[in-house]
Amino acid sequence: MKYNTIFSKSVVVSSKRGIPFLPGLLLIALGAVVLIAPRLVLAVLAIFLLSLGTLFCYLVYKFMALRKQINNLTMNFESSLFGAHKGTGFKGSKYSDSGDIDITDLDSFKKIVYH
């Protein structure tokens, strides 16, 4: 290991001699395991695929549950805004414009009162 003394903190620099051989050594070890115990490799592969499939099913289930909750939340929010409640919310349906003020009718705004 080498220590870099340029900076105030010591930084450990690892040797780069063994890193190029690491993928080759791992492939050789995997080949040896396949030759010695092929059932072990197939069992590990089967367990990996089963756990990956279970994880994907769980994620899809959670996503569908979240989507349903968001849909229910938006429906409840929309009904609370546009539904007729006792003393709260807006009166009438969401498509009626009975409460809107007609801006083109300027006769009703003749008198201006400053407070």
Side-chain angles (χ1 to χ4, degrees):
M1 284 190 221
K2 298 178 184 178
Y3 293 101
N4 192 351
T5 58
I6 295 173
F7 300 106
S8 61
K9 294 183 180 180
S10 62
V11 178
V12 178
V13 180
S14 63
S15 173
K16 296 184 180 183
R17 289 183 188 173
I19 292 178
F21 295 108
L22 187 62
L25 292 175
L26 289 176
L27 286 174
I28 291 172
L30 181 64
V33 169
V34 168
L35 286 175
I36 294 171
R39 287 185 179 180
L40 176 67
V41 175
L42 288 177
V44 168
L45 183 63
I47 289 172
F48 173 73
L49 292 176
L50 285 172
S51 61
L52 190 66
T54 305
L55 177 70
F56 283 159
C57 288
Y58 177 74
L59 290 176
V60 167
Y61 170 74
K62 286 304 226 180
F63 179 73
M64 295 299 284
L66 177 68
R67 186 174 151 197
K68 185 178 179 182
Q69 285 179 352
I70 290 173
N71 192 16
N72 287 339
L73 179 68
T74 56
M75 295 299 274
N76 289 339
F77 183 69
E78 185 177 316
S79 68
S80 69
L81 281 180
F82 298 113
H85 294 288
K86 296 177 183 176
T88 62
F90 298 110
K91 301 290 183 188
S93 70
K94 62 181 178 181
Y95 299 110
S96 69
D97 57 348
S98 61
D100 292 342
I101 298 173
D102 189 14
I103 298 176
T104 59
D105 187 19
L106 296 176
D107 294 334
S108 64
F109 297 108
K110 288 182 182 178
K111 186 175 181 183
I112 297 174
V113 177
Y114 294 103
H115 294 280

